[in-house]
Amino acid sequence: MGSFKSRLLIHHNIGQYACQKEPNSHSLLSLCYNFTSMKVLGIETSCDETAAAVVEDGVKVLSNEIASQVELHARFGGIVPEVASRQHILAIIPIIEKAIAKAETAWHDLAGIAVTVGPGLAGSLLVGVSVAKAIAAVQELPLTGVNHLEAHIYANWLCDEKPAFPLLCLIVSGGHSDLVLMRDHGNYVVLGRTRDDAAGEAFDKAARILGLGYPGGPAIDRAAESGTASIELPRAWLKGTSDFSFSGLKTALLRLVERGQVCHIADAAASFQEAVVDVLVSKTIASTKEHRVRQILLSGGVAANRRLRKHLVASSPIPVLVPEPILCTDNAAMVASCGYFRFQAGKRDGLDLDVVPSLKLA
Ligand code: KG4
Ligand code: ZN
């Protein structure tokens, strides 16, 4: 039953294919025709969020549970990897049970399990991957390992409007600022990436410089609300490339603070945010013209930034898809969605699945 069930799951949308292979069984036939939707359990533990979600057909969120470790790490001013993995161990089982219960799904209703294998913190990734493998073995469910960056892109399949190829995706997270051309599912060309600090990393460091605490991105976003972008800060355009660089900007802010030239923290936050957003938006729009794409997708934790969302939508001549903020920052619904499309493409992993902390997108 195990292997046939697996074939059914992968070919669920062409259920007749499976039925033709086993034409004599009544129960199998009914299973084929009842198999109209495919629920995937997603598991995410790459950094400091323990998350589990159930997504139907890659597009419909049935549950999306997140146990954040923000408070735990806040007193250290950043993520402590050892603390993160220990907390994942404590939180993972309750969060999966919650996701299954919220989705009103039984284990046997699941079509498969998708789990983040990288990039991320090795100890954190190991918790999610080990639990996913254990569940896959016990429940006899197909398993697929997901790239965290790919999952961030797939958060856009959870929006009301669905992505259309070819498209350009700007992934801006704590570790990445990547501009990616996507011509089809699973097909990625990285056009540009950060040469030093990622956008989220720059936000976090700037917040520390301004004494706004951790996590820095949301703190700058909030502080900027009551400020004006009146302080002149440098922008690294890196002309002729789609690459990004934010470390010069961060250093410029640090110098201003050291020289006592920042009077209003809110103005400094707004000016810093404007400089980052200006570069991200201008370079993304320039790239869309070069590659003639139909849509721009925004994803990753920094995509929750209100100024970035607004400015990109206002500046783009083509449609922009932006997931709701809870689907921009780390979550497992995006992992389940990505996993669904991997299952559709026949991409399955065995119980020898391992973590890849420095996994690349392409
Ligand atoms: O995608 P994510 O949750 O985790 C990684 O994969 O890294 O991104 C986390 C990053 C952090 O650097 C955080 O400061 C930033 O996203 N971030 C924001 C906002 N919310 C989260 N940056 C700017 N504005 C926000 N509202
Ligand atoms: Zn992330």
Side-chain angles (χ1 to χ4, degrees):
M1 178 63 194
S3 69
F4 177 65
K5 184 179 170 196
S6 308
R7 272 188 285 139
L8 255 182
L9 298 175
I10 291 165
H11 297 284
H12 85 284
N13 59 341
I14 46 169
Q16 280 148 330
Y17 162 86
C19 294
Q20 280 158 11
K21 295 246 162 182
E22 319 270 350
N24 299 326
S25 162
H26 258 314
S27 59
L28 284 177
L29 272 171
S30 61
L31 191 55
C32 287
Y33 288 111
N34 287 337
F35 212 94
T36 51
S37 75
M38 183 172 171
K39 294 177 190 172
V40 173
L41 170 69
I43 297 175
E44 158 63 40
T45 62
S46 68
C47 195
D48 61 341
E49 325 278 3
T50 318
V54 178
V55 170
E56 193 170 58
D57 296 334
V59 294
K60 189 174 171 200
V61 180
L62 301 183
S63 65
N64 187 22
E65 298 301 311
I66 304 169
S68 173
Q69 301 182 6
V70 161
E71 277 176 30
L72 197 60
H73 298 284
R75 65 188 138 129
F76 303 109
I79 297 160
V80 183
E82 187 66 19
V83 173
S85 24
R86 283 165 194 258
Q87 188 56 32
H88 283 309
I89 293 171
L90 295 176
I92 188 81
I93 300 298
I95 211 80
I96 290 173
E97 283 174 343
K98 212 166 155 191
I100 296 282
K102 269 253 174 87
E104 295 179 0
T105 298
W107 289 108
H108 63 260
D109 284 338
L110 287 175
I113 302 178
V115 61
T116 304
V117 292
L121 301 169
S124 292
L125 289 164
L126 262 175
V127 178
V129 171
S130 306
V131 169
K133 289 200 288 190
I135 298 174
V138 171
Q139 300 292 343
E140 294 184 57
L141 286 168
L143 176 70
T144 193
V146 165
N147 182 316
H148 182 77
L149 298 171
E150 201 176 348
H152 269 306
I153 298 176
Y154 275 88
N156 286 278
W157 266 264
L158 304 170
C159 295
D160 290 339
E161 190 186 341
K162 299 302 168 216
F165 300 115
L167 57 84
L168 194 75
C169 184
L170 175 66
I171 311 172
V172 270
S173 67
H176 294 81
S177 320
D178 289 353
L179 207 43
V180 180
L181 174 65
M182 204 175 164
R183 294 195 183 94
D184 203 347
H185 288 292
N187 179 322
Y188 309 102
V189 179
V190 179
L191 304 173
R193 47 168 55 103
T194 187
R195 292 194 182 173
D196 38 57
D197 292 351
E201 190 181 354
F203 269 102
D204 292 336
K205 287 177 177 171
R208 207 171 304 149
I209 291 168
L210 296 174
L212 290 171
Y214 167 87
I220 297 236
D221 192 337
R222 274 194 305 274
E225 218 176 356
S226 53
T228 51
S230 52
I231 303 170
E232 221 169 279
L233 287 168
R235 279 114 165 108
W237 292 111
L238 304 178
K239 288 244 159 62
T241 78
S242 295
D243 285 348
F244 301 101
S245 165
F246 297 111
S247 77
L249 168 63
K250 170 204 67 194
T251 306
L253 180 71
L254 178 64
R255 296 284 170 266
L256 285 179
V257 171
E258 284 174 344
R259 290 192 205 114
Q261 291 170 322
V262 170
C263 304
H264 300 290
I265 295 294
D267 289 350
S271 305
F272 176 85
Q273 177 176 270
E274 198 57 29
V276 174
V277 168
D278 190 10
V279 173
L280 290 175
V281 170
S282 303
K283 297 201 74 153
T284 302
I285 303 280
S287 218
T288 58
K289 289 177 185 151
E290 210 175 307
H291 296 278
R292 294 193 180 180
V293 292
R294 293 172 65 185
Q295 285 178 342
I296 298 175
L297 312 189
L298 188 57
S299 60
V302 181
N305 184 269
R306 288 171 293 174
R307 177 67 188 141
L308 175 60
R309 300 162 75 91
K310 207 170 154 193
H311 192 34
L312 184 59
V313 170
S315 312
S316 175
I318 57 172
V320 178
L321 268 61
V322 190
E324 57 180 299
I326 194 72
L327 295 171
C328 292
T329 46
D330 287 351
N331 66 87
M334 65 183 194
V335 177
S337 171
C338 184
Y340 168 84
F341 288 101
R342 285 180 63 82
F343 283 131
Q344 288 293 304
K347 293 177 182 166
R348 279 186 59 178
D349 290 293
L351 293 178
D352 56 350
L353 182 68
D354 204 354
V355 302
V356 191
S358 55
L359 187 62
K360 300 266 181 289
L361 187 61

